[in-house]
Amino acid sequence: MSILTPHVYWAQRHGEIYLRVDLSDATNLDISLQENNKLQFRAQGHGAKGDNEYVFSLEFLQPVRPESTQRQVDIKIKKQDEGWWDRLTLQEKKPLFLAPDFDRWLDESDAEMELQAKEEEKINKISVESRVRKDPYLGLKKGYLFMYNLVQFLGFSWIFVNMTVRLFILGQDSFYDTFHTTADMMYFCQMMAMLEVINPLLGLVKTGFFPAMIQVAGRNVILFVIFGSLEEMQNKPVVFFVFYLWSTIEIFRYPFYMLACIDTEWKLLTWLRYSLWIPLYPLGVIAEAVVVIQSLPIFDQTRLFSLPLPAVLGHSLSFSYTLQLYLVLMFLGLFINFRHLYKQRSRRYRSRKKKVH
């Protein structure tokens, strides 16, 4: 069996030399880097001349470190001093078996840019790791958030299913007793929702405090102040539409957050979470506005929650004036929350596009 020289391809960076030996099925690898900066290679494998023993040696232009990293027939050698070499070997004439490895080849300027990018990436990684400290209570926080979202999902699901079934069985007649059949569960869910205002303050979630407060406070005004205190409002069809819109949004929102606690994502659920609010949220605000408008004459008539005034100014200030002001603020809140939700959606799908590209 004849001893042959394999084809060897090389490239360099400021700190390393890369050699790729054109052999497949290499066995009996013997690679040594001697103190005189000379690399000795010997292996059995399939090269340009078929299955043979292939041998070569290279004496490097400048000193290299004695240790080397090898994987099969790819060799990485550390330069002793970082810098750019004009050629690979000490001898000026290039060996016939040696050629540039164009898959890895970079000019000196390109290599410097690559090195600078790696250094910046390393610095950024260290900076991020130093800022992000491991939270010893992370598991407990995620457990609490998971259970909260699960309970809310079950509560709103019960309301949604109850109303849907009654709608199919009773038709429009179900509009008039929605409050009496679902109010207790809605009271429970909305009282639990107060935690959504507290959670951002405690740093448990990244959601802003102000958007959460607008939604929770707005719903509680409708539920507790108007529906809960005025029996005349409890039998109106608008109750059905308000409760149905609320529950439709929440049966997709809460499971999305629940799965996020265990680092799981369902693409369809994500799309529904970030898309359904576009038609449903404005419809919900319009339904709530109808509730407020229908309650104004009732508050004027009953004088409930009226503010007593000095005799000079009159007997009392009707609560309906407060609700009229609230009506204006409701549409201002719609704009604020709509803008907030739109930014959330834009960030979500912009980041997904970046990952795809």
Side-chain angles (χ1 to χ4, degrees):
M1 184 180 295
S2 59
I3 298 178
L4 302 169
T5 302
H7 292 299
V8 181
Y9 302 92
W10 78 284
Q12 67 169 317
R13 298 295 184 270
H14 284 82
E16 296 91 19
I17 294 294
Y18 299 101
L19 299 177
R20 179 168 58 85
V21 185
D22 190 13
L23 285 181
S24 60
D25 302 323
T27 59
N28 302 325
L29 279 169
D30 182 12
I31 303 173
S32 61
L33 191 57
Q34 300 174 1
E35 291 183 0
N36 58 357
N37 294 319
K38 194 170 186 179
L39 177 74
Q40 298 281 356
F41 176 93
R42 181 184 296 270
Q44 178 75 32
H46 187 84
K49 299 294 183 178
D51 288 323
N52 281 292
E53 184 177 30
Y54 290 86
V55 177
F56 75 88
S57 64
L58 290 172
E59 187 175 0
F60 296 115
L61 176 64
Q62 295 182 24
V64 295
R65 297 183 184 179
E67 72 271 13
S68 64
T69 303
Q70 63 184 68
R71 185 179 68 84
Q72 295 181 354
V73 288
D74 287 340
I75 306 168
K76 184 172 79 170
I77 300 168
K78 291 282 187 181
K79 295 178 179 177
Q80 184 168 305
D81 298 315
E82 291 192 2
W84 197 256
W85 295 4
D86 296 330
R87 59 180 184 275
L88 178 65
T89 59
L90 181 61
Q91 63 183 49
E92 294 187 12
K93 187 177 180 181
K94 179 179 71 67
L96 295 176
F97 62 85
L98 187 64
D101 185 352
F102 290 108
D103 291 336
R104 284 182 167 175
W105 191 267
L106 289 179
D107 292 332
E108 183 176 3
S109 58
D110 294 332
E112 287 178 354
M113 292 177 63
E114 182 188 66
L115 183 64
Q116 184 178 358
K118 286 182 178 180
E119 289 296 327
E120 289 178 357
E121 183 180 355
K122 188 186 297 184
I123 292 171
N124 290 336
K125 185 177 180 182
I126 294 172
S127 178
V128 170
E129 289 176 352
S130 64
R131 289 198 305 266
V132 179
R133 296 179 181 178
K134 192 173 181 180
D135 188 350
Y137 302 105
L138 183 61
L140 186 62
K141 291 177 181 178
K142 284 191 173 184
Y144 154 71
L145 291 173
F146 181 88
M147 291 305 301
Y148 167 77
N149 288 294
L150 175 61
V151 169
Q152 289 289 74
F153 168 66
L154 293 175
F156 279 105
S157 295
W158 185 90
I159 295 170
F160 180 84
V161 172
N162 181 290
M163 294 177 66
T164 303
V165 171
R166 290 177 60 81
L167 178 63
F168 277 105
I169 295 174
L170 302 175
Q172 293 185 6
D173 291 340
S174 67
F175 292 174
Y176 302 98
D177 62 352
T178 297
F179 185 83
H180 301 290
T181 56
T182 61
D184 289 341
M185 183 60 72
M186 187 62 79
Y187 280 144
F188 171 77
C189 290
Q190 282 307 120
M191 285 189 290
M192 285 282 291
M194 292 297 296
L195 293 172
E196 294 184 29
V197 180
I198 299 172
N199 289 340
L201 296 176
L202 298 178
L204 297 176
V205 295
K206 295 180 180 179
T207 307
F209 161 78
F210 198 55
M213 186 190 68
I214 290 175
Q215 177 169 308
V216 173
R219 286 188 179 183
N220 285 347
V221 168
I222 300 297
L223 180 62
F224 293 101
V225 177
I226 298 179
F227 290 153
S229 61
L230 298 178
E231 291 186 9
E232 296 90 340
M233 291 296 301
Q234 294 173 4
N235 297 322
K236 291 186 178 293
V238 71
V239 178
F240 175 89
F241 294 102
V242 170
F243 282 12
Y244 207 73
L245 287 166
W246 286 359
S247 59
T248 302
I249 292 173
E250 304 303 16
I251 61 174
F252 296 107
R253 186 169 73 98
Y254 284 117
F256 170 80
Y257 289 130
M258 185 173 66
L259 293 179
C261 293
I262 55 175
D263 301 320
T264 303
E265 180 184 2
W266 293 349
K267 291 184 179 179
L268 177 59
L269 182 61
T270 301
W271 184 85
L272 290 170
R273 157 69 183 94
Y274 286 101
S275 303
L276 269 183
W277 64 267
I278 298 174
L280 295 184
Y281 188 62
L283 287 174
V285 173
I286 292 171
E288 292 172 19
V290 171
V291 171
V292 173
I293 293 169
Q294 289 183 351
S295 71
L296 294 178
I298 302 175
F299 278 109
D300 283 337
Q301 183 180 357
T302 61
R303 312 305 294 179
L304 185 65
F305 303 137
S306 294
L307 180 66
L309 295 175
V312 179
L313 299 176
H315 294 291
S316 61
L317 182 65
S318 175
F319 185 66
S320 64
Y321 292 110
T322 304
L323 288 179
Q324 290 174 42
L325 176 61
Y326 171 74
L327 197 60
V328 176
L329 295 176
M330 181 187 297
F331 285 96
L332 177 61
L334 168 64
F335 171 76
I336 294 172
N337 263 9
F338 202 94
R339 188 165 172 263
H340 169 72
L341 291 169
Y342 178 77
K343 284 184 176 180
Q344 276 190 332
R345 190 179 194 277
S346 299
R347 282 196 300 266
R348 179 75 183 188
Y349 286 100
R350 191 186 306 122
S351 63
R352 289 175 68 88
K353 285 180 182 178
K354 286 181 180 178
K355 289 179 182 178
V356 170
H357 293 299

